[in-house]
Amino acid sequence: MGKQFISTQIIRGHKSDVYDVAVCSKFTVSVSGDGHIKTWSHKGEEEPVNDILVDSLGLHHVDFWENDGILIIGTVAFSGILYLFQYIDNELVPLNCELKKNNWALKFHVGVEDQKHRLLTTQHNGSAEVYELTVEEGKFSLQHEKTLEDLNRTFALSIDVSSTEDSKIAIGYMNGTVSLYDFRTLRSSYTFTSTAIKSESSAVRCVKFSPGGTLLAVASDSESYGTISLYDVKFGEMAGSLIAPTNSNHAIGAGFAHERWCFSLDFNQDGSFLASGGMDQKVRIWDVTTREVEATITMALTDLPDDKLTDDLNSNSNIGCLSLKYFGKGIRQIDGDDRNEGLVLVGLDQSVRWYREAGGV
Amino acid sequence: MTKTRSVYIESDIRPPDPSKVLQCILTSVEMALLDCSSVQLIFSRPLLQGVTFRKRPSRPTVIRFPGKKECWKFSTVTTRRDLYYKDVALFRNQATIDALIEQLCDSLGVKGSDLGVFPSQKGLIFGSISIIYKNLVGKECCYQLSSSEKSQLTPNWFSNDVEILSVRIPPTIRCVIVLEKDAVFKRLCESSWAQDQYILVTGKGYPDHLTRQFLDLMMKHTSLKVYGFFDSDIYGLLIANTYKYGTSQDLNKMLLEKNRLQWAGVEILDYTQGHQPVRPKEIQLMTSLNHRLGDRIKLLTKHREYVDTCRTHSNTEQDFDIHFRFLYKLRREIQISHYFHYKCEMNVLQDNLQSIENYIHQKIASL
């Protein structure tokens, strides 16, 4: 337990569960079951900078592409529609692009060296769509390149791309498998199968490459627990798993990272730490080398300025974490303290929480 | 004896003029309804199927609606199931006859009870209730149900024109609980838990008209709260939606509904185990229900704005709140089930640490 995280801001930002969050250079962006996309300034203002009702069915995934001063934001709705926006003059301007329907997760990739810029989305039927992203004279366009068919034929829940010269694509499925593709050739390279208890409920909730691209962290369900495994990307081998410490009066099942499902993972900038968010209301920070818990953040309803949820939708007061992101030093300027990395968490309590790491000079 | 009006649909007229036939039917039915007598529809099968035939069928099909008067005097009640069995080969399945009767009622602007056709009873009730009503011939009757007895089928004697004089319930009754599942209902009836505290109702899956009508009656004539417990899967949510808004696709109809039913569970988040993965087909159904809920929310929001500006009092603030909360809760449960990709059944609670009885207690207390 070497690290400490200090809460810097909590905003009851949405009228329903907040499913995903992302931090770009200009703001934090959150999407919610209330159908709104909202952006929150790095200066800590209480009101959103942008607020758009995108799809009344609710939004569940968000990602962005930021390169050469151009910022594109993509969000997927429960209707399966992927919406794209370009950030121009402090406004989110909707973009019209020919995209497939029935999307689930999405991932933008900023090309490294001579790589293509791409947008990848997973589909309800388990395949993944690859689009080439081009920006010419400020004009943004997407060209469909390939459909990555998968033999699993189960729902593809999560996707990630490593940011290295020799990038890989990882896709996690409902049945517990993870497929790796080569980014350049779009050919399949490995398939990992979850080592968690074999059952129908071993859904791969999140796949995340380390910044160096050597490790792949995989969060999957094991019955009602959440497990995190680390894979060596080069050799396609399991490198270990993250296990929360047990103590006698806290009966966490042996070998699990979270007492409930873990939905979100993120590495810090240099890849030395991994943050994981669980439905057990806990966020754990793991030292990737020692594989030990360095810090635990507990999300509590009492953190909120007003502890009554809007319309009492959440009658069971479960406030598990649905998504989290690390953000680098100096991104948010609150309390005049931006010397450390920070975390942003969202979940079932309709709010967005920002933390920064304590200490450091 | 009551008069009977027969409508002969002659298949000899070749080619039959559909509009004339229809006019003839409607006039006769209208006349019959005016004096509450019974109506017979006699027709040959090929006509209904819209094809010409070579051989006359040996026995023409007769559909006889007893009519209101006959129905009460001689207690000849025809159920939809009975009609179906009149000619199984013709109707092929129950849904056909149900749809036909609904269409007939809709186009004539009458109720099934006017024709003397009642749906077969499907729903079950358990609890202590006595309902005093005036039947159609003006006689005061009492329908009594006590919790010491077994559960009973939903009564089929009432319709909108039966005058309800009073509904009496013991003061110990806390609320009405609607259960999706027969199995859960039976279990709760067997234990002494529900006795004198709750009125239990189940439609065994999708509720039939009678079950909904019974709930309507409870809501109109008592101030009891009504909570519903359904599976947390798309079918459970669709059933909850049917209890609340019926099968009508007419969104505007919703604005007039004063249905107080509150969705109380079960919620996926209440379960620590026993989840089942969602099937691909269910995702489609979830999306389509989510769409419909979205439309309802939009319409309701517009209507509330309208009411706010006009200050009409057709819907009170409380009515709106109950509607909005129901819609938002259902939408949230769909979203969570879609996102988690899991569903849960209510029966599974038994295997969990807590019993269904405790679960319902806690859930109701939290609302």
Side-chain angles (χ1 to χ4, degrees):
Chain A
M1 287 288 199
K3 284 180 175 279
Q4 284 257 301
F5 279 83
I6 297 166
S7 167
T8 56
Q9 195 181 8
I10 297 181
I11 296 176
R12 168 72 51 76
H14 287 274
K15 287 216 167 87
S16 188
D17 310 314
V18 188
Y19 282 95
D20 203 3
V21 68
V23 184
C24 59
S25 68
K26 296 186 170 66
F27 44 68
T28 301
V29 53
S30 59
V31 295
S32 157
D34 64 12
H36 286 258
I37 185 167
K38 293 189 182 183
T39 64
W40 311 94
S41 91
H42 288 329
K43 295 200 177 72
E45 282 141 20
E46 293 283 316
E47 293 298 317
V49 184
N50 307 95
D51 175 359
I52 299 174
L53 173 60
V54 180
D55 190 317
S56 62
L57 268 63
L59 304 172
H60 57 76
H61 275 83
V62 69
D63 197 23
F64 63 90
W65 183 87
E66 197 171 17
N67 199 27
D68 282 342
I70 291 168
L71 176 59
I72 308 287
I73 291 172
T75 179
V76 186
F78 281 100
S79 54
I81 300 170
L82 168 60
Y83 297 89
L84 293 169
F85 297 91
Q86 185 167 0
Y87 191 69
I88 306 169
D89 301 332
N90 300 325
E91 294 289 336
L92 290 176
V93 181
L95 294 171
N96 280 322
C97 291
E98 284 279 316
L99 296 167
K100 297 253 161 110
K101 285 175 185 156
N102 294 326
N103 299 288
W104 184 250
L106 83 163
K107 174 71 192 169
F108 280 108
H109 179 74
V110 178
V112 182
E113 306 272 323
D114 62 336
Q115 275 176 359
K116 284 177 179 173
H117 300 297
R118 274 177 177 155
L119 165 64
L120 296 101
T121 69
T122 66
Q123 298 282 301
H124 286 188
N125 65 6
S127 63
E129 302 296 339
V130 183
Y131 301 90
E132 184 179 355
L133 189 160
T134 46
V135 179
E136 272 174 40
E137 291 165 12
K139 221 148 150 65
F140 168 89
S141 67
L142 281 178
Q143 187 70 42
H144 185 256
E145 280 186 69
K146 195 180 173 184
T147 302
L148 304 178
E149 293 289 350
D150 192 84
L151 301 172
N152 280 310
R153 285 275 160 210
T154 65
F155 208 90
L157 286 166
S158 49
I159 186 162
D160 197 30
V161 180
S162 57
S163 287
T164 53
E165 272 180 59
D166 131 52
S167 286
K168 293 265 187 272
I169 302 164
I171 301 172
Y173 297 92
M174 190 64 197
N175 67 358
T177 54
V178 176
S179 291
L180 249 66
Y181 293 85
D182 185 85
F183 185 81
R184 276 175 208 276
T185 60
L186 297 176
R187 282 207 190 107
S188 172
S189 27
Y190 294 118
T191 298
F192 302 124
T193 311
S194 160
T195 51
I197 296 168
K198 270 274 162 240
S199 76
E200 269 197 299
S201 51
S202 51
V204 178
R205 297 296 176 181
C206 187
V207 286
K208 205 68 154 188
F209 286 102
S210 62
T214 52
L215 276 181
L216 174 69
V218 175
S220 47
D221 296 358
S222 177
E223 302 290 339
S224 61
Y225 297 104
T227 65
I228 302 170
S229 315
L230 297 173
Y231 290 90
D232 183 308
V233 175
K234 197 173 174 194
F235 301 105
E237 283 171 353
M238 178 141 164
S241 47
L242 302 179
I243 295 160
T246 23
N247 58 46
S248 53
N249 54 15
H250 206 76
I252 191 166
F256 301 113
H258 285 274
E259 270 182 89
R260 300 293 307 274
W261 308 312
C262 167
F263 279 99
S264 189
L265 298 170
D266 201 26
F267 283 95
N268 73 334
Q269 273 190 314
D270 66 5
S272 52
F273 295 99
L274 177 74
S276 65
M279 286 304 296
D280 55 0
Q281 314 194 355
K282 297 267 194 302
V283 171
R284 295 205 160 92
I285 313 294
W286 309 80
D287 183 318
V288 176
T289 331
T290 64
R291 309 221 166 118
E292 286 190 2
V293 178
E294 282 290 318
T296 301
I297 299 169
T298 305
M299 293 167 77
L301 216 51
T302 46
D303 300 346
L304 300 167
D306 159 21
D307 62 5
K308 217 164 150 52
L309 294 175
T310 313
D311 299 332
D312 296 323
L313 276 183
N314 194 345
S315 61
N316 42 26
S317 310
N318 196 321
I319 58 167
C321 175
L322 291 173
S323 179
L324 58 81
K325 291 283 163 13
Y326 256 110
F327 53 87
K329 295 173 192 177
I331 289 208
R332 275 173 67 83
Q333 295 104 34
I334 296 181
D335 306 337
D337 189 345
D338 54 358
R339 290 165 294 174
N340 285 318
E341 290 184 315
L343 267 177
V344 56
L345 319 175
V346 294
L348 295 171
D349 62 351
Q350 311 170 353
S351 64
V352 187
R353 295 150 195 260
W354 288 268
Y355 292 82
R356 70 170 167 81
E357 203 193 313
V361 186
Chain B
M1 242 351 248
T2 44
K3 285 178 283 177
T4 300
R5 260 167 217 282
S6 300
V7 186
Y8 292 93
I9 302 166
E10 278 304 327
S11 38
D12 286 345
I13 316 162
R14 214 185 287 184
D17 181 350
S19 64
K20 265 202 183 138
V21 174
L22 198 65
Q23 202 183 357
C24 164
I25 299 172
L26 291 180
T27 325
S28 307
V29 173
E30 216 175 346
M31 303 271 282
L33 287 170
L34 277 175
D35 56 36
C36 295
S37 57
S38 61
V39 193
Q40 292 196 76
L41 294 181
I42 302 166
F43 53 85
S44 327
R45 205 176 298 167
L47 183 84
L48 199 94
Q49 288 175 337
V51 280
T52 49
F53 59 96
R54 285 189 201 121
K55 211 176 116 194
R56 196 190 178 100
S58 52
R59 178 177 55 91
T61 305
V62 181
I63 294 186
R64 191 156 179 282
F65 301 112
K68 220 191 268 180
K69 244 188 213 161
E70 191 177 320
C71 163
W72 289 108
K73 266 195 185 152
F74 309 102
S75 61
T76 32
V77 174
T78 304
T79 66
R80 293 180 178 195
R81 198 78 187 149
D82 291 342
L83 287 181
Y84 166 65
Y85 280 118
K86 282 254 155 86
D87 199 333
V88 178
L90 175 68
F91 298 121
R92 282 163 203 235
N93 60 46
Q94 181 71 47
T96 320
I97 190 82
D98 289 350
L100 277 172
I101 289 172
E102 261 154 44
Q103 275 170 20
L104 188 65
C105 290
D106 264 3
S107 35
L108 294 170
V110 298
K111 307 235 157 39
S113 59
D114 294 328
L115 297 171
V117 178
F118 291 89
S120 331
Q121 295 144 295
K122 181 175 151 223
L124 293 169
I125 325 168
F126 175 85
S128 302
I129 321 155
S130 53
I131 303 168
I132 297 159
Y133 63 97
K134 227 181 225 174
N135 75 6
L136 280 178
V137 282
K139 200 178 145 205
E140 214 167 279
C141 305
C142 182
Y143 169 85
Q144 204 144 12
L145 183 65
S146 114
S147 61
S148 55
E149 294 165 34
K150 279 183 186 165
S151 59
Q152 285 204 2
L153 288 165
T154 32
N156 67 356
W157 44 261
F158 60 74
S159 66
N160 286 2
D161 36 37
V162 171
E163 193 188 339
I164 306 285
L165 299 173
S166 71
V167 175
R168 283 184 213 144
I169 38 163
T172 51
I173 297 282
R174 296 207 217 161
C175 58
V176 179
I177 296 176
V178 178
L179 297 157
E180 173 193 347
K181 287 197 156 167
D182 199 16
V184 178
F185 175 87
K186 284 211 174 105
R187 192 193 133 110
L188 292 178
C189 291
E190 278 161 17
S191 71
S192 57
W193 172 82
Q195 236 168 35
D196 306 324
Q197 284 202 61
Y198 302 105
I199 292 169
L200 307 178
V201 178
T202 181
K204 298 181 187 164
Y206 282 97
D208 57 347
H209 192 61
L210 283 175
T211 311
R212 293 196 63 226
Q213 223 170 23
F214 176 77
L215 282 174
D216 261 359
L217 182 142
M218 293 307 290
M219 288 189 243
K220 254 184 216 149
H221 296 274
T222 73
S223 56
L224 290 175
K225 292 198 164 166
V226 184
Y227 299 104
F229 287 88
F230 310 90
D231 282 349
S232 178
D233 59 15
I234 179 59
Y235 305 105
L237 297 173
L238 281 168
I239 288 166
N241 190 52
T242 310
Y243 269 105
K244 185 88 177 168
Y245 299 115
T247 46
S248 168
Q249 297 293 325
D250 183 4
L251 281 178
N252 288 306
K253 225 171 163 180
M254 167 189 78
L255 301 174
L256 305 168
E257 296 262 0
K258 298 244 176 184
N259 192 319
R260 289 200 304 270
L261 173 72
Q262 296 187 45
W263 182 83
V266 300
E267 292 182 60
I268 287 183
L269 293 172
D270 296 334
Y271 282 64
T272 48
Q273 50 186 303
H275 306 86
Q276 294 287 318
V278 171
R279 308 266 160 236
K281 195 193 155 206
E282 292 168 345
I283 296 281
Q284 284 173 21
L285 291 170
M286 280 156 91
T287 314
S288 104
L289 177 59
N290 201 343
H291 265 296
R292 270 183 282 158
L293 295 177
D295 289 346
R296 289 223 156 98
I297 291 172
K298 255 185 235 161
L299 183 78
L300 209 58
T301 313
K302 250 190 215 158
H303 189 66
R304 171 136 80 177
E305 280 164 14
Y306 172 77
V307 168
D308 284 350
T309 49
C310 299
R311 291 163 195 266
T312 56
H313 296 286
S314 59
N315 290 69
T316 64
E317 202 56 28
Q318 207 189 354
D319 288 334
F320 278 120
D321 276 352
I322 288 176
H323 275 300
F324 273 121
R325 188 175 292 200
F326 181 88
L327 293 167
Y328 280 130
K329 281 204 151 194
L330 230 56
R331 183 172 81 171
R332 178 173 192 249
E333 194 61 21
I334 293 177
Q335 288 174 348
I336 289 180
S337 176
H338 194 160
Y339 188 84
F340 285 27
H341 247 73
Y342 284 137
K343 57 183 179 181
C344 293
E345 287 188 22
M346 194 163 180
N347 325 34
V348 181
L349 274 174
Q350 291 173 39
D351 315 328
N352 264 323
L353 292 171
Q354 52 181 342
S355 66
I356 290 184
E357 289 89 339
N358 273 342
Y359 178 80
I360 292 179
H361 257 311
Q362 281 173 15
K363 236 24 209 182
I364 288 174
S366 76
L367 285 168

